[in-house]
Amino acid sequence: MPTPITIVAGVGPGTGASVARRFAKSYPVILLARNPENYESLAKEINSSGGKAVGISTDVSSEESLKNAFSQIEKEFPGAPAAAAVFNAGGKFVRKGILEQTVEEFTAGHEVAVKGAFIFSQKSLPLLLKHAEDKGAKYPPTLIFTGATASVKANALRAGFASAKFAMRALSTSIAKEFAPQGVHVAHAIIDGVIDIPRTKEWLKDQPPEAKIEADAIAEAYWNLHTQSKRCFTNEIDIRPMLEKW
Amino acid sequence: MPTPITIVAGVGPGTGASVARRFAKSYPVILLARNPENYESLAKEINSSGGKAVGISTDVSSEESLKNAFSQIEKEFPGAPAAAAVFNAGGKFVRKGILEQTVEEFTAGHEVAVKGAFIFSQKSLPLLLKHAEDKGAKYPPTLIFTGATASVKANALRAGFASAKFAMRALSTSIAKEFAPQGVHVAHAIIDGVIDIPRTKEWLKDQPPEAKIEADAIAEAYWNLHTQSKRCFTNEIDIRPMLEKW
Amino acid sequence: MPTPITIVAGVGPGTGASVARRFAKSYPVILLARNPENYESLAKEINSSGGKAVGISTDVSSEESLKNAFSQIEKEFPGAPAAAAVFNAGGKFVRKGILEQTVEEFTAGHEVAVKGAFIFSQKSLPLLLKHAEDKGAKYPPTLIFTGATASVKANALRAGFASAKFAMRALSTSIAKEFAPQGVHVAHAIIDGVIDIPRTKEWLKDQPPEAKIEADAIAEAYWNLHTQSKRCFTNEIDIRPMLEKW
Amino acid sequence: MPTPITIVAGVGPGTGASVARRFAKSYPVILLARNPENYESLAKEINSSGGKAVGISTDVSSEESLKNAFSQIEKEFPGAPAAAAVFNAGGKFVRKGILEQTVEEFTAGHEVAVKGAFIFSQKSLPLLLKHAEDKGAKYPPTLIFTGATASVKANALRAGFASAKFAMRALSTSIAKEFAPQGVHVAHAIIDGVIDIPRTKEWLKDQPPEAKIEADAIAEAYWNLHTQSKRCFTNEIDIRPMLEKW
């Protein structure tokens, strides 16, 4: 059986990059992002430090685009099973009242977070199943979805975000139940707090570091999910920084 | 202020018809359904028994179609506020594994249950707000969404259905929080069981009637939600028949 | 079959009294409260306005005391079935940190809200089952538990309150599932907000009346639960005032 | 600062023993069990394989007994902070209908699972806080509660079990929120499935090993919770075997 790979959808300068770095310690990683600048330096970094990374420009909301991405994966790693697939793509969401937003603004995020999550699952699962059948596999194949506070709490002015995240959570559970008997471990992470990334640098500035989540720590939690045995699958975790109010 | 109306989206020979009949005792009702045969006899029945009903052929997943429907409503009932709006449209869902369905099959139901629910809300809310401002209004305006077991439980082979219903539930909560301060009462009903309608006639045949939900009883529950005071809003109820396992 | 009665545990100048008044329009009501001054004027009021009410001094956390109360009920209304039983008793809870409270302070509330709810259910269910068997019964017998925000949300400094309320909610669901097949309707109400009663007069004073829940409206919601048919049981509702943040 | 310890309440031939073994790789472990035979051979095993374990006969439902246990801990490890405290005690629960059980049968489990969990927390938290203040501490102090399917799902005939487990979950969350700002990590684990221990040997016998949860894997998951950084606390995980239906 060829070396198993890890596929990360939604690589940017935050959780996605940290997850890619963490899994790259054990597997070649595929970095999917719409914009090449989101994966180029990361791929270079991983490749130059002993790992193996391949970036592919992909629009996860497009079946055609994901199909192409997976063809490229097959070309780069012929017959490779996937040890892990992480769906970390965000999507554009507005913070607006129901009457202040267009239908397109409402549905835009769903294209990525729901439809994209579905297509990504559909393309990844055959590779994950291949890993499940590999007697020599070290850990069960793992499909992880990155959720948010809004996955379980729908606030005013966040109808699009919350509905998309609720939907993705349901998708995760449905897939978990369908594929667990075949040995695929599916998990959903409720990231409840601000992640400490360049984009959020100015947020919570007056607070200590423990007010924000460390992206590397999320990656470590995902890795720990991945290493769980078939006799101990965790299908959902929440994650928040020490100083989060909830 | 003109007489307030009630708008029911998704009128068929089940919950929608029962809800329309129930609210027609107090308000003129607008019956929205894609197919005229779903509302024609019902409109006739209501109109001939002392009520007032207007059917409009509408595709709730289309902004254009809903825009036309609401223009027609405005023509029929100029300036009328809405005392209630009920989103009861279903959508097409498959019972298939992730790898057995097309992307279109997965998203089809979302078009109605999520996007449709959003557009319907967007069009109804101005009329509901008008009712909220009416000092003479008997009950606060009410926007009700019909959910299902899948709104809170995502099963295998039901990824599309569950994700759409989870999303609709989040939408309902987000709207509830945004518009409650303006006096609009938004509620979500988790219909947990088989509704006794012509289409389900053959289901649970060997069981007593208490194994299925009576559509008229759902309508009564919706009416009771509508009559709640501003000092006592119920935002979610579950409904199941006496013999349901849960 | 003798006239069915309603039993309300936890009658005080708030929800309990409103519930008693509402159900007294249709049934003789039994008023249970530890302190006679909590039911005396209410009983007088109901009895003098055409209803029938009997107050019994009871400590719901004591099996002996509830046994005596139900013996007295049997004496007053021999063989009477119960159309409804409402558990509205509170219990003493502290707002203290884990390290600032005694074990007794932590468990005190559980005595009423959990153990009391259990004993009350145990004593009421035979009377409710009798009503379920009565072919002439107008509505299915109903057992209702009054919960709180803390039934679904456990906050800091409220460990005792939240754990007791979570426990009562689980008790309610377990009883609902056990007795529904026999026709008993069990419901749990999450009262999410401040109820407008004499004790809370000073709370939210700067806000409009819609910031507090009206006790009579809760009673109406309970009555609506009671009148649901066997083919449409609601097992949980939430209730909040229009201006509640949630 | 003296060497930090780990305290495990509810050590038996299952999860408790596995947790003790896992944490003993890094810390001296205190084994609390009502019955010395539940910890004697385990303590011997750990002590003879390079670890350090001390068993103390304790009834966690008794404040006096836990007070004595913690005095003994203080004597054995003077001034030692606690790196972890795991509440894994069960309690006696009946599988009976509401009308078939005594009040004592209903409350017996609460004594351990709720009151015991509270007292154990009260006694452990000062030692956990001491660890939180230790600048040299490797991982944040962790308090873990072992829950069950019944922590989130209340079934018929399981009123006592479910209400106690719901209550313990609320207790866990309340403590988590209170002590997180001081650096204590509190987590609740929903163990959703049959754990493979001697007592369950005959259960699910016709099924493959993946139908049961491995106790050592639970211990590993707890260890992974313990090693989370202050910027990434998971407060709840679920755990189930690959073949579990849920």
Side-chain angles (χ1 to χ4, degrees):
Chain A
M1 184 79 73
T3 303
I5 60 171
T6 285
I7 308 163
V8 184
V11 171
T15 309
S18 291
V19 168
R21 276 188 206 99
R22 183 61 187 86
F23 282 73
K25 292 186 193 175
S26 300
Y27 309 110
V29 291
I30 312 299
L31 314 174
L32 307 184
R34 193 187 292 251
N35 199 328
E37 73 184 31
N38 272 335
Y39 58 70
E40 276 167 354
S41 65
L42 177 64
K44 203 172 292 178
E45 177 199 322
I46 290 174
N47 285 318
S48 68
S49 60
K52 167 98 184 121
V54 175
I56 302 172
S57 180
T58 317
D59 170 5
V60 295
S61 69
S62 152
E63 189 177 10
E64 191 58 26
S65 178
L66 264 168
K67 207 176 145 185
N68 289 339
F70 276 78
S71 294
Q72 221 173 309
I73 294 173
E74 172 60 24
K75 240 179 261 170
E76 292 269 359
F77 302 95
V86 178
F87 188 80
N88 186 57
K92 264 193 192 161
F93 296 103
V94 296
R95 187 184 294 271
K96 288 187 180 177
I98 296 293
L99 302 178
E100 279 79 50
Q101 63 190 292
T102 64
V103 177
E104 286 66 36
E105 284 177 315
F106 175 77
T107 55
H110 285 250
E111 284 294 299
V112 172
V114 187
K115 189 177 132 193
F118 173 80
I119 307 174
F120 178 74
S121 303
Q122 219 178 29
K123 299 296 179 204
S124 304
L125 278 162
L127 307 192
L128 294 162
L129 286 167
K130 197 184 285 187
H131 191 65
E133 283 155 22
D134 181 0
K135 300 284 182 204
K138 196 161 177 193
Y139 306 116
T142 315
L143 172 59
I144 303 177
F145 297 88
T146 300
T149 313
S151 303
V152 290
K153 193 167 160 55
N155 284 333
L157 309 189
R158 299 302 267 157
F161 188 46
S163 59
K165 287 295 190 179
F166 267 61
M168 188 208 274
R169 183 172 180 244
L171 176 65
S172 170
T173 302
S174 180
I175 299 176
K177 290 180 180 177
E178 182 181 353
F179 290 93
Q182 292 166 262
V184 180
H185 177 192
V186 182
H188 177 259
I190 300 165
I191 310 296
D192 184 24
V194 174
I195 305 172
D196 194 0
I197 53 175
R199 188 171 58 82
T200 61
K201 212 178 134 183
E202 299 300 306
W203 305 9
L204 307 172
K205 264 181 82 169
D206 54 333
Q207 301 230 11
E210 288 82 11
K212 286 187 194 167
I213 305 171
E214 193 184 7
D216 284 354
I218 297 177
E220 196 61 35
Y222 283 16
W223 179 258
N224 285 339
L225 287 171
H226 174 54
T227 63
Q228 286 190 311
S229 96
K230 287 191 245 186
R231 307 185 66 193
C232 181
F233 278 172
T234 288
N235 297 112
E236 189 161 81
I237 57 169
D238 51 12
I239 282 177
R240 51 183 67 83
M242 178 182 127
L243 294 179
E244 186 70 19
K245 292 261 173 277
W246 54 294
Chain B
M1 183 78 74
T3 303
I5 60 172
T6 285
I7 307 163
V8 184
V11 170
T15 309
S18 291
V19 168
R21 276 188 206 100
R22 182 62 188 85
F23 282 72
K25 292 185 191 176
S26 300
Y27 308 111
V29 291
I30 312 298
L31 314 174
L32 305 184
R34 192 187 293 252
N35 198 328
E37 74 185 33
N38 273 334
Y39 59 70
E40 276 169 353
S41 67
L42 177 64
K44 201 172 293 178
E45 176 198 322
I46 291 174
N47 286 319
S48 68
S49 59
K52 167 100 184 119
V54 175
I56 302 172
S57 182
T58 317
D59 170 5
V60 294
S61 69
S62 154
E63 191 177 10
E64 192 58 27
S65 177
L66 264 168
K67 206 176 145 185
N68 290 338
F70 276 77
S71 295
Q72 222 173 309
I73 293 174
E74 172 60 24
K75 237 178 264 167
E76 293 270 0
F77 302 94
V86 178
F87 188 79
N88 186 59
K92 262 192 193 164
F93 297 102
V94 296
R95 187 183 293 271
K96 288 186 180 178
I98 295 292
L99 302 178
E100 278 80 51
Q101 63 191 292
T102 64
V103 176
E104 287 65 37
E105 284 177 316
F106 175 77
T107 56
H110 286 249
E111 285 294 300
V112 172
V114 187
K115 188 177 132 192
F118 173 80
I119 308 173
F120 178 73
S121 303
Q122 220 179 27
K123 299 296 178 204
S124 303
L125 278 162
L127 307 193
L128 293 162
L129 286 167
K130 195 183 288 187
H131 191 65
E133 284 156 20
D134 180 2
K135 302 284 182 204
K138 195 161 178 193
Y139 306 116
T142 315
L143 172 58
I144 302 177
F145 296 89
T146 299
T149 313
S151 303
V152 289
K153 193 167 161 54
N155 284 333
L157 310 188
R158 300 300 269 159
F161 187 45
S163 59
K165 287 295 189 180
F166 268 61
M168 188 209 274
R169 184 172 178 243
L171 176 66
S172 170
T173 302
S174 180
I175 300 177
K177 291 180 180 176
E178 182 181 353
F179 291 93
Q182 294 167 261
V184 180
H185 177 192
V186 181
H188 177 258
I190 301 166
I191 310 296
D192 183 24
V194 174
I195 305 173
D196 194 0
I197 53 175
R199 188 171 58 83
T200 62
K201 211 179 134 182
E202 298 300 307
W203 305 10
L204 307 172
K205 262 180 83 168
D206 54 333
Q207 300 230 11
E210 287 82 11
K212 288 187 194 168
I213 305 171
E214 193 183 6
D216 284 354
I218 297 176
E220 197 60 37
Y222 283 15
W223 179 257
N224 286 338
L225 287 170
H226 174 52
T227 62
Q228 286 190 309
S229 96
K230 287 191 244 186
R231 307 186 67 193
C232 180
F233 278 173
T234 288
N235 296 113
E236 188 161 84
I237 57 169
D238 51 11
I239 283 177
R240 51 183 67 83
M242 178 181 126
L243 294 178
E244 187 70 20
K245 292 262 173 275
W246 56 294
Chain C
M1 183 80 72
T3 303
I5 59 172
T6 285
I7 308 164
V8 184
V11 171
T15 309
S18 291
V19 169
R21 275 188 205 100
R22 182 63 187 85
F23 282 72
K25 292 186 192 174
S26 299
Y27 308 111
V29 291
I30 311 299
L31 314 175
L32 306 184
R34 193 187 293 251
N35 198 328
E37 73 186 31
N38 272 335
Y39 58 70
E40 275 168 354
S41 66
L42 177 65
K44 202 172 291 178
E45 177 198 321
I46 291 174
N47 285 319
S48 67
S49 60
K52 168 98 183 121
V54 175
I56 302 172
S57 181
T58 317
D59 170 5
V60 294
S61 69
S62 153
E63 190 177 11
E64 191 59 26
S65 178
L66 263 169
K67 206 176 145 184
N68 289 338
F70 276 78
S71 294
Q72 221 173 308
I73 294 173
E74 173 61 24
K75 239 179 261 169
E76 292 270 0
F77 301 95
V86 178
F87 188 80
N88 186 58
K92 264 191 192 163
F93 297 102
V94 295
R95 187 184 294 270
K96 288 187 181 178
I98 296 293
L99 302 178
E100 279 79 51
Q101 62 190 293
T102 63
V103 177
E104 286 66 36
E105 284 177 316
F106 174 77
T107 55
H110 285 250
E111 285 293 301
V112 171
V114 188
K115 188 176 132 192
F118 173 79
I119 308 174
F120 178 73
S121 302
Q122 219 179 30
K123 299 297 178 202
S124 303
L125 278 163
L127 307 193
L128 293 162
L129 286 167
K130 196 184 286 188
H131 191 66
E133 284 155 20
D134 180 1
K135 301 284 181 204
K138 195 159 178 194
Y139 305 117
T142 316
L143 172 59
I144 302 177
F145 296 89
T146 300
T149 313
S151 303
V152 289
K153 194 167 160 55
N155 284 333
L157 309 189
R158 301 301 268 158
F161 188 45
S163 60
K165 288 295 190 180
F166 268 62
M168 188 208 274
R169 183 171 179 245
L171 176 66
S172 171
T173 302
S174 180
I175 300 176
K177 290 180 181 177
E178 182 182 353
F179 290 93
Q182 292 166 263
V184 179
H185 177 193
V186 181
H188 177 259
I190 300 166
I191 309 296
D192 183 23
V194 174
I195 306 172
D196 194 0
I197 53 175
R199 188 170 59 82
T200 61
K201 212 178 134 182
E202 299 300 307
W203 305 10
L204 306 173
K205 265 180 82 169
D206 54 332
Q207 302 230 10
E210 288 80 12
K212 287 187 193 166
I213 305 170
E214 192 184 8
D216 284 355
I218 297 177
E220 197 61 35
Y222 283 16
W223 179 257
N224 285 339
L225 287 171
H226 174 54
T227 62
Q228 286 189 311
S229 95
K230 287 190 246 186
R231 307 186 66 192
C232 181
F233 278 173
T234 288
N235 296 113
E236 189 160 83
I237 56 170
D238 51 11
I239 282 176
R240 51 183 67 84
M242 178 182 127
L243 295 178
E244 186 70 20
K245 292 260 173 278
W246 55 294
Chain D
M1 184 76 76
T3 304
I5 59 172
T6 285
I7 308 164
V8 184
V11 170
T15 309
S18 291
V19 169
R21 275 188 207 100
R22 183 63 188 83
F23 282 72
K25 292 185 191 177
S26 300
Y27 307 112
V29 291
I30 312 299
L31 315 174
L32 307 184
R34 193 188 292 252
N35 198 329
E37 73 184 32
N38 272 335
Y39 58 70
E40 275 168 354
S41 65
L42 176 64
K44 202 171 293 179
E45 177 198 321
I46 291 174
N47 285 319
S48 67
S49 60
K52 168 96 183 123
V54 174
I56 301 172
S57 180
T58 317
D59 170 6
V60 295
S61 70
S62 153
E63 190 178 10
E64 191 58 26
S65 177
L66 264 168
K67 206 176 146 186
N68 289 339
F70 276 78
S71 295
Q72 221 173 308
I73 293 173
E74 173 60 24
K75 238 179 263 169
E76 293 269 0
F77 302 95
V86 178
F87 188 80
N88 186 58
K92 264 192 191 162
F93 296 103
V94 296
R95 188 182 295 270
K96 288 186 179 178
I98 296 292
L99 302 178
E100 279 80 51
Q101 63 191 292
T102 64
V103 177
E104 286 67 36
E105 284 177 316
F106 174 77
T107 56
H110 286 249
E111 285 293 300
V112 171
V114 188
K115 188 177 132 193
F118 172 79
I119 308 174
F120 177 75
S121 303
Q122 221 179 27
K123 299 297 178 202
S124 303
L125 279 163
L127 307 191
L128 294 163
L129 286 167
K130 196 182 286 187
H131 191 66
E133 284 155 19
D134 181 1
K135 301 283 181 202
K138 196 161 177 192
Y139 304 117
T142 315
L143 172 58
I144 303 177
F145 296 90
T146 300
T149 313
S151 303
V152 290
K153 194 168 160 55
N155 284 332
L157 310 188
R158 300 301 268 156
F161 188 45
S163 59
K165 287 296 189 180
F166 269 61
M168 187 208 275
R169 184 171 178 245
L171 176 66
S172 171
T173 302
S174 180
I175 300 176
K177 291 180 180 176
E178 182 181 353
F179 290 94
Q182 293 167 261
V184 179
H185 177 192
V186 181
H188 178 259
I190 300 166
I191 311 296
D192 183 24
V194 174
I195 305 172
D196 195 0
I197 52 174
R199 189 171 57 84
T200 61
K201 211 178 133 182
E202 299 300 307
W203 304 10
L204 307 172
K205 264 180 81 169
D206 54 333
Q207 301 230 11
E210 288 81 10
K212 287 187 195 169
I213 305 171
E214 193 184 6
D216 284 355
I218 297 177
E220 197 60 36
Y222 283 15
W223 178 258
N224 285 339
L225 287 171
H226 174 53
T227 62
Q228 286 189 311
S229 95
K230 288 191 244 185
R231 306 185 68 193
C232 181
F233 279 173
T234 287
N235 297 113
E236 189 161 83
I237 57 169
D238 51 12
I239 283 177
R240 51 183 67 83
M242 179 181 126
L243 295 178
E244 187 70 20
K245 292 261 174 277
W246 54 295

